[in-house]
């Protein structure tokens, strides 16, 4: 048995990631209903429990507790369940009789799904679409879909290098679903499955990308207020006196907090929308569409209708970045001004301290002179007493003469000792 190096704990999961959510082989005619439910954390877990309940009711094996993708036959329909970061997708499909398509309202895949179970899907419906795959490309395809789609807003193109054609009106019909019709002429089952998945993802990612638009509109009002406030602060800073600076700095700090808080609240949404817009562009490129005479292609429709929303989200992001930088620059400017004034105040304080220190030195010199006189007076008094006591013992000079002679010597000695002590204190 061959030995093998120690395996990274995530190797298998990472290797299988390229095989995650593969397209299924499909054949026409086929009715597909695709529902996208926006879910938070608890609703995502409830979604797993919801699909488990459906499987339990049909006596099918329960899904794994960590599964995020399920494909299986459930009675009269086929279920494809996928869990994504922000939403959960439910795809139901079933064969149908295509001979009566276009003559009356066609059957849908959700007609075979338990309605009470369908009505209680966890989360909020973000997108839902019916897609019918027909086996042949009719000669007059417009008349084929006119009872299913609105002719006034019809969008269509050939896809899969001309081997198929897709029609849609990007409208929500009375049942709450939008609609697509795919005419597949000679598309292989595997390629047809990829094409269907790409078309459904275009609609899914389009709606997910547009979630950034309301956030961008709300951010625009906050940004407009912040820009006005910042302009007023910039003007006030130019004309502000020293006493006004603390109040201006407080206003600027509050504004910076509002801007950064709003940026933190919307940054992830704008980043996600930018990623979804790129996915829409990629999926449109993947279907390989070409123009049908007199009709807009899906790419043209998306470019025209999504560009304003995309530009709004991108402009909101750029405004947030620019405003944050401007607030930072003005904050640095005001802080620099405050620091300069503090330095000037510190210099003035140091000058005043130096002046006071000079005065103190002068006063100290005066006090030292008075101290020399006082100490000399007391020492000379002691010398006078000693002379009086020593005179009977033979001291030749009188007390007054002795005191008079001692005054210069005592004063000089006291002065020299105080200066020496002063030098030692200053040098310490």
């Amino acid at each position: 048995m061959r030995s093998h190096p120690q395996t990274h704990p995530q190797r298998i999961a990472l290797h299988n990631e390229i095989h995650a959510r593969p397209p299924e082989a499909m054949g026409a005619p086929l009715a597909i209903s695709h529902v996208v439910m926006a879910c938070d954390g608890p609703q995502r877990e409830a979604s797993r429990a919801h699909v488990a309940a459906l499987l339990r009711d049909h006596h099918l094996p329960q899904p794994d507790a960590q599964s995020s993708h399920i494909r299986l036959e459930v009675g009269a329909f086929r279920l494809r369940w996928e869990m994504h970061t922000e939403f959960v997708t439910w795809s139901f499909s079933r064969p149908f009789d295509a001979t009566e398509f276009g003559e009356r309202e066609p059957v849908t895949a959700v007609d075979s799904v338990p309605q009470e179970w369908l009505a209680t899907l966890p989360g909020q419906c973000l997108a839902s679409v019916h897609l019918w795959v027909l086996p042949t490309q009719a000669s007059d395809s417009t008349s084929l879909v006119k009872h299913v789609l609105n002719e006034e807003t019809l969008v269509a193109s050939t896809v899969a290098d001309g081997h198929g054609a897709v029609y849609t009106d990007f409208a929500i019909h009375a049942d709450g679903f939008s609609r697509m019709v795919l005419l597949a002429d000679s598309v292989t089952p595997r390629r047809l499955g990829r094409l269907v998945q790409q078309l459904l993802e275009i609609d899914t990612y389009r709606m997910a990308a547009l979630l950034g638009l309301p956030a961008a509109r709300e951010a625009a009002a906050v940004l407009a207020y912040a820009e006005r406030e910042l302009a007023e602060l910039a003007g006030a800073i130019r004309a502000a006196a020293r006493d006004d600076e603390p109040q201006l700095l407080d206003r600027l700090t509050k504004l910076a907090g509002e801007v950064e808080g709003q940026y933190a609240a919307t940054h992830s949404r704008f980043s996600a929308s930018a990623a979804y817009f790129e996915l829409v562009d990629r999926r449109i490129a993947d279907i390989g569409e070409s123009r049908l005479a007199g009709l807009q292609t899906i790419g043209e429709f998306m470019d025209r209708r999504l560009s304003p929303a995309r530009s709004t989200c991108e402009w909101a992001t750029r405004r947030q970045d620019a405003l944050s930088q401007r607030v930072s620059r003005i904050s640095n400017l005001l802080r620099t001004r405050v620091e300069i004034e503090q330095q000037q105040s510190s210099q003035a304080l140091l000058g005043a301290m130096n002046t006071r220190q000079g005065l103190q030195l002068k006063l100290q010199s005066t006090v030292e002179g008075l101290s020399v006189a006082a100490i000399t007076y007391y020492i000379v008094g002691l010398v006078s007493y000693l002379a009086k006591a020593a005179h009977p013992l033979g001291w030749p000079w009188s007390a007054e003469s002795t005191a008079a002679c001692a005054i210069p010597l005592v004063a000089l000695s006291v002065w020299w000792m105080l200066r020496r002590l002063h030098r030692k204190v200053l040098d310490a």
Side-chain angles (χ1 to χ4, degrees):
M1 181 177 181
R2 292 183 179 180
S3 61
H4 193 278
Q6 184 177 0
T7 302
H8 190 281
Q10 298 296 325
R11 180 191 175 190
I12 302 301
L14 295 176
H15 175 78
N16 292 335
E17 187 64 26
I18 62 173
H19 303 291
R21 302 184 176 94
E24 299 183 72
M26 295 182 178
L30 192 67
I32 302 170
S33 296
H34 182 70
V35 181
V36 181
M37 303 297 293
C39 297
D40 55 19
Q43 289 170 337
R44 284 159 53 87
E45 294 304 319
S47 177
R48 183 181 282 110
H50 201 64
V51 70
L54 177 67
L55 300 183
R56 185 171 55 253
D57 292 343
H58 286 77
H59 307 288
L60 294 172
Q62 292 295 292
D64 186 84
Q66 302 299 323
S67 61
S68 60
H69 174 235
I70 296 173
R71 297 184 300 177
L72 74 167
E73 300 288 340
V74 183
F77 62 94
R78 183 170 180 80
L79 169 67
R80 179 177 178 130
W81 172 82
E82 295 181 1
M83 182 179 293
H84 298 263
T85 303
E86 294 185 290
F87 51 84
V88 174
T89 60
W90 304 80
S91 296
F92 311 96
S93 59
R94 51 165 287 192
F96 74 104
D97 184 4
T99 57
E100 298 181 353
F101 188 88
E103 298 180 2
R104 60 181 183 180
E105 190 71 10
V107 297
T108 65
V110 292
D111 293 337
S112 302
V113 179
Q115 296 302 300
E116 293 183 0
W117 176 88
L118 181 67
T120 56
L121 290 179
Q124 296 176 317
C125 183
L126 180 63
S128 57
V129 57
H130 291 312
L131 173 61
W132 293 276
V133 183
L134 301 179
T136 57
Q137 186 170 345
S139 58
D140 187 5
S141 54
T142 303
S143 62
L144 182 65
V145 301
K146 66 180 182 179
H147 296 296
V148 179
L149 304 174
N150 296 324
E151 291 187 75
E152 295 80 4
T153 58
L154 192 63
V155 176
S157 63
T158 63
V159 293
D161 301 324
H163 293 90
V166 60
Y167 296 81
T168 183
D169 54 9
F170 288 107
I172 297 177
H173 291 253
D175 59 355
F177 284 74
S178 58
R179 296 181 174 185
M180 287 186 182
V181 177
L182 175 60
L183 304 179
D185 186 12
S186 57
V187 183
T188 62
R190 183 65 62 182
R191 188 175 185 183
L192 179 61
R194 289 198 302 270
L195 181 59
V196 167
Q197 182 171 324
Q198 290 160 356
L199 291 173
L200 294 177
E201 287 178 349
I202 288 174
D203 199 66
T204 300
Y205 294 139
R206 170 181 68 94
M207 293 300 298
L210 288 173
L211 286 175
L213 184 59
R217 289 171 175 168
E218 293 176 4
V222 178
L223 291 171
Y225 161 76
E227 288 169 345
R228 290 194 302 270
E229 178 71 7
L230 186 60
E232 293 177 1
L233 280 170
I237 289 172
R238 288 196 299 268
R242 179 177 299 180
D243 296 337
D244 299 330
E245 290 173 352
Q247 181 180 2
L248 291 175
L249 187 59
D250 182 65
R251 288 176 59 189
L252 190 57
T253 301
K254 291 180 179 178
L255 179 62
E258 292 177 1
V259 172
E260 293 302 322
Q262 200 260 353
Y263 178 85
T266 57
H267 177 69
S268 60
R269 181 70 269 157
F270 292 154
S271 298
S273 290
Y276 288 134
F277 279 124
E278 292 180 3
L279 287 173
V280 171
D281 294 339
R282 193 174 305 168
R283 295 298 181 270
I284 291 175
D286 290 341
I287 64 176
E289 64 175 350
S290 301
R291 179 182 296 278
L292 283 174
L295 295 173
Q296 286 190 91
T297 65
I298 294 177
E300 291 172 343
F301 179 86
M302 289 294 183
D303 183 64
R304 178 176 298 178
R305 301 301 177 91
L306 286 186
S307 291
R310 177 183 295 188
S311 299
T312 300
C313 295
E314 292 175 350
W315 176 234
T317 302
R318 290 196 296 269
R319 285 181 70 185
Q320 285 180 335
D321 293 336
L323 183 60
S324 179
Q325 294 174 6
R326 288 170 57 195
V327 170
S328 178
R329 287 198 299 268
I330 293 182
S331 298
N332 292 334
L333 177 64
L334 183 57
R335 289 190 181 94
T336 301
R337 175 174 171 173
V338 171
E339 289 174 358
I340 291 174
E341 292 183 353
Q342 288 178 345
Q343 291 176 359
Q344 292 175 347
S345 300
S346 299
Q347 291 176 354
L349 180 60
L350 290 174
M353 291 176 63
N354 289 334
T355 302
R356 287 196 295 271
Q357 186 175 9
L359 293 175
Q360 289 176 355
L361 290 174
K362 291 180 181 179
L363 181 60
Q364 184 177 357
S365 299
T366 303
V367 171
E368 287 178 359
L370 295 175
S371 299
V372 169
I375 295 172
T376 301
Y377 174 77
Y378 286 110
I379 293 177
V380 169
L382 294 175
V383 171
S384 175
Y385 285 121
L386 289 173
K388 286 181 180 179
H391 186 70
L393 299 176
W395 179 257
W397 294 345
S398 64
E400 291 78 4
S401 300
T402 303
C405 293
I407 288 174
L409 297 174
V410 172
L412 183 61
S413 299
V414 171
W415 176 83
W416 180 79
M417 291 177 64
L418 288 177
R419 293 297 296 176
R420 185 177 178 183
L421 180 62
H422 184 66
R423 288 194 188 96
K424 287 183 177 181
V425 172
L426 292 179
D427 294 339

